[in-house]
Amino acid sequence: MSQEFDVLVIGGGPGGYIAAIRAAQLGFKVACAESNSFDDPKGEPRLGGTCLNVGCIPSKALLASSEEYENIAHHVSDHGIAVKDFSIDIAKMVKRKNDIVTKMTSGIQFLFRKNKITFLKGHAAFICKEGGLFKASISGKEPTEVTAKNVIIATGSKARHLPGVAVDNKLICDNEGALNFSQTPKKLGVIGAGVIGLELGSVWRRLGSEVTILEAMPSFLGACDEGVATEAKKLLTKQGLSFNLGVKIGEVKAGKNNVTISYQDAAGADQSLTVDRLIVSVGRTPNTDGLNLEAVGLKTDERGFIPIDDHTCATSVAGIYAVGDVVRGPMLAHKAEDEGVLVAEVIAGQKPHIDYNCIPWVIYTYPEIAWVGKTEQQLKAEGRAYKPGQFPFAANGRALGMGSSDGFVKVLADAVTDEILGVHIISAGASDLIAEAAVAMEFKAAAEDIARVCHPHPSLSEVVREAALATDKRALNM
Ligand code: FAD
Ligand code: NAI
C-alpha cells in the first residue's frame, strides 16, 4: 500500500532537507527520499547531500586542520613560540573530518524525527500523475511507492569529469577522493583553478605537497572582482601554489603510482606533468539520473538543469518544484537552502522572495575571498556610474595583532544614490565579514549607512566601515 504525503522531497542535501523541515513547520505531511550512502559503514543512505558528506563541511574541516599545521610550521614563531617536533597524522585528520560529517548528518536525522518527516531510504523516480497526485517509486532495501500532492526535486549535482579521464578516486580523484587521501602526495596536480581546486589545492599544499594547477581559462577566477582575483593569485602563488593558465589538457595517463598529464601551455607548446595524485575539479553537472521525469511530462534544458520559474522555483508541471544545484544559479549550499524554504512557503500560499544579487560567495583559501553583488567589471560593462572605496587590512590593528594583515575590503557604491552595489573582501575571516554586506545590500543600504554604524574596536569589521567611508574619500585611518 502506498503512503500519501502533502510534500515529497527528492534529495536530502541542503536544498532538500531544509525544504522538508520548513514544509513540516508549515503543517504539511512530508517525506524526503535520499539514496546515497556516501561510504556509510552500514551502507545506509545518509542525509546532508554533497554539502555535508563530500562538500562544504568535510572540505572546511580539512582546511581548518591544514591551517593549524601551517601556522605551527610557519607562523607561530612570529609570536615567539618555538615548536620543536611536530608532525601530522593524516589518518587522524581524516577521521576527525569523518566524525564531524557523521555528527552533522545524524543531526539532520534527529531534526527529521523532531519534525515528523518520513525519511525514505532509497532512490526516488516518478511513476505517473494520477488523480491529482504524483506517484513515485522508492527503490531501496525496502522498496515502496508513495504519492504526494507536491514534489520538490532537490537532487543536486555531481562532479563533471573530463572525457577520457577515468576518475578512480585513488590516483585520479574528484572531490570525493580528494577529501580522503591516506597520505600527503609529494606532487599533486589539479585540473581547474576554480573553487574546489583552490580550496583542496591549499589543503594539500599546506601539508607539504608540491601543487600544480592547470586551468583552461587565460584569466584567474573570472567570476571574482578583478582586483581581488589579482591579489588572490599573488598571495596564493607566494604560498607555493603553481598556476598554469590558458592550458589545453591532452592525454591523462594513470601509471601504477602516478599520473602523467600532457597539455599545451598558453603559448601552444607541448608540456607534460607527472604527479602522485591528480584532482579533477572542472565544475559540476546537475543530477537527474533515473528520476524518470518523462513520466510526469518534465524535461531538462540543454545543460541538464530543470527549468523553473525564477520567482517560485515552480517547474512547467503544476505541483512540481525544483531547487538547489539541479536548477540555474550558483551551486551554493545557502542558495539551495533559501530556495528550499521559498518553495515550502510558496506551497503554503505565502509570497516569499529571494534576491539573487544578495547571495554571498566565499572561497575558503587563506586569505578567504568573499563577495556579494556586482564586481567592478560588471558595473563597467553595464555602464553604471559607481564610486569604489578600498581599505587594506594592513592598516587595521586587530589584523596586525592576529598576524593576518593580507588583503582589503572594496565597497562599490552607486555614484548618485550611494546604494551599495557590491562588496569584495580578501582577508582572514572574510566569510563572516561578508554577512554584514549581504544584510546591508538586502536592505538596500547606502555606503553611508555602513559608515555611520558603530563597529567594534579592535575588529576586522572596522575595515568594512573604512572601505564604506573610502567611497566618499573620508577613510579615517589612512
Ligand atoms: P546536494 O547537496 O547535491 O544533494 C542532493 C542529494 O540528492 C544527494 O544526496 C543525492 O544523493 C540525492 N539524490 C539525487 N537523486 C536522487 C534520487 N533520485 N532519489 C533520492 N535521492 C537522490 N557550497 C557552499 O555554499 N559553501 C561551501 O563551502 C561549499 N563547499 C563545497 C565543497 C566541495 C568539495 C563541493 C563538491 C561542493 C561545495 N559546495 C559548497 C557546494 C554545495 O555542496 C552544493 O551547492 C549543495 O550541496 C547543493 O545542495 P543540493 O541540496 O541542491 O544538492
Ligand atoms: P568551478 O566552476 O569553480 O571551477 C572549475 C574550473 O575548471 C574553472 O576555472 C574552469 O575554467 C576550469 N576548467 C573547466 N574545464 C577545464 C579543462 N578542460 N581544463 C582545465 N580547466 C578547466 O568548479 P569546481 O571547482 O569543480 O567546483 C564546483 C562548484 O562547487 C563551484 O562552482 C561551486 O559552486 C561549488 N563549490 C563551492 C565552494 C564554496 O562555496 N566555497 C567550494 C567548492 C565548491
Side-chain angles (χ1 to χ4, degrees):
M1 204 184 72
S2 81
Q3 297 168 272
E4 188 180 324
F5 296 94
D6 296 319
V7 179
L8 166 65
V9 182
I10 305 180
Y17 86 77
I18 289 289
I21 292 173
R22 184 69 189 120
Q25 285 176 345
L26 289 162
F28 293 113
K29 186 179 174 199
V30 183
C32 178
E34 172 56 60
S35 55
N36 201 331
S37 58
F38 293 107
D39 288 336
D40 178 79
K42 293 186 199 139
E44 289 287 314
R46 292 174 80 141
L47 293 168
T50 303
C51 169
L52 266 64
N53 292 284
V54 290
C56 326
I57 300 302
S59 59
K60 267 78 247 179
L62 296 187
L63 278 156
S65 298
S66 61
E67 197 167 350
E68 297 284 2
Y69 182 85
E70 173 136 292
N71 282 338
I72 295 170
H74 300 294
H75 304 304
V76 294
S77 57
D78 294 347
H79 297 261
I81 302 169
V83 181
K84 286 212 178 74
D85 287 322
F86 69 95
S87 60
I88 176 121
D89 178 341
I90 299 290
K92 196 166 175 184
M93 176 185 83
V94 170
K95 181 181 178 302
R96 173 183 179 272
K97 179 265 295 179
N98 291 341
D99 290 347
I100 293 168
V101 168
T102 303
K103 194 169 181 181
M104 295 289 295
T105 57
S106 21
I108 301 174
Q109 288 216 35
F110 163 79
L111 292 175
F112 271 26
R113 286 193 294 275
K114 185 179 152 201
N115 287 283
K116 301 191 174 37
I117 297 163
T118 303
F119 178 14
L120 301 166
K121 297 181 179 176
H123 181 94
F126 286 105
I127 298 174
C128 61
K129 183 173 183 187
E130 229 174 46
L133 292 178
F134 297 101
K135 197 174 194 181
S137 61
I138 311 296
S139 50
K141 276 187 193 158
E142 294 166 23
T144 182
E145 283 182 8
V146 294
T147 56
K149 292 187 192 107
N150 301 280
V151 179
I152 304 174
I153 302 172
T155 47
S157 65
K158 54 179 174 286
R160 185 166 84 82
H161 292 170
L162 292 173
V165 182
V167 169
D168 61 0
N169 274 325
K170 292 189 175 77
L171 282 180
I172 304 179
C173 302
D174 58 22
N175 58 296
E176 302 202 12
L179 293 163
N180 280 322
F181 288 171
S182 53
Q183 59 192 40
T184 304
K186 198 163 176 308
K187 288 189 176 191
L188 173 67
V190 179
I191 303 184
V195 197
I196 295 179
L198 296 184
E199 290 188 1
L200 295 182
S202 291
V203 165
W204 296 106
R205 198 274 311 147
R206 290 170 189 169
L207 299 176
S209 291
E210 191 183 304
V211 181
T212 306
I213 305 188
L214 304 172
E215 164 60 46
M217 299 300 286
S219 59
F220 181 70
L221 282 181
C224 251
D225 185 87
E226 270 171 17
V228 171
T230 305
E231 182 72 4
K233 183 155 179 280
K234 188 183 88 191
L235 293 170
L236 293 172
T237 304
K238 200 167 136 201
Q239 289 165 17
L241 288 178
S242 164
F243 296 104
N244 288 335
L245 304 181
V247 307
K248 198 164 168 219
I249 303 292
E251 190 186 29
V252 175
K253 216 169 153 188
K256 202 162 164 239
N257 294 313
N258 57 23
V259 184
T260 300
I261 307 118
S262 305
Y263 65 95
Q264 251 178 24
D265 65 19
D270 289 334
Q271 305 284 357
S272 92
L273 172 74
T274 298
V275 292
D276 306 303
R277 291 277 186 288
L278 174 67
I279 300 176
V280 180
S281 48
V282 291
R284 297 180 65 80
T285 54
N287 206 357
T288 51
D289 297 346
L291 268 177
N292 200 19
L293 294 174
E294 316 79 59
V296 286
L298 270 181
K299 278 199 189 112
T300 57
D301 67 15
E302 63 287 350
R303 294 169 60 217
F305 291 100
I306 297 180
I308 51 164
D309 172 82
D310 270 342
H311 304 289
T312 59
C313 294
T315 67
S316 56
V317 176
I320 304 183
Y321 302 81
V323 301
D325 282 10
V326 79
V327 302
R328 64 25 191 160
M331 288 184 167
L332 296 173
H334 41 287
K335 176 262 193 185
E337 290 183 357
D338 282 14
E339 288 179 339
V341 169
L342 175 134
V343 165
E345 293 178 352
V346 165
I347 294 171
Q350 299 182 5
K351 300 259 181 295
H353 171 70
I354 295 175
D355 185 344
Y356 285 87
N357 188 44
C358 295
I359 294 176
W361 269 89
V362 181
I363 306 175
Y364 292 81
T365 44
Y366 177 84
E368 292 178 350
I369 299 162
W371 72 93
V372 58
K374 302 277 169 78
T375 60
E376 274 203 68
Q377 60 268 28
Q378 281 173 326
L379 293 174
K380 279 181 189 147
E382 287 172 13
R384 185 140 184 195
Y386 67 93
K387 333 172 261 181
Q390 190 165 315
F391 195 86
F393 283 87
N396 174 265
R398 182 77 197 285
L400 289 170
M402 289 165 62
S404 296
S405 56
D406 287 322
F408 56 81
V409 176
K410 186 197 273 189
V411 173
L412 305 172
D414 187 282
V416 179
T417 65
D418 196 34
E419 181 183 341
I420 301 169
L421 305 174
V423 176
H424 304 271
I425 307 179
I426 173 163
S427 74
S431 52
D432 291 315
L433 295 175
I434 201 67
E436 173 181 4
V439 172
M441 285 187 59
E442 193 71 59
F443 282 90
K444 303 268 176 276
E448 179 74 8
D449 291 322
I450 290 190
R452 290 219 171 260
V453 171
C454 190
H455 284 64
H457 173 79
S459 75
L460 301 180
S461 70
E462 289 172 290
V463 180
V464 178
R465 185 191 201 182
E466 290 278 16
L469 283 162
T471 60
D472 196 33
K473 300 195 174 22
R474 53 190 175 97
L476 295 163
N477 287 286
M478 202 174 63

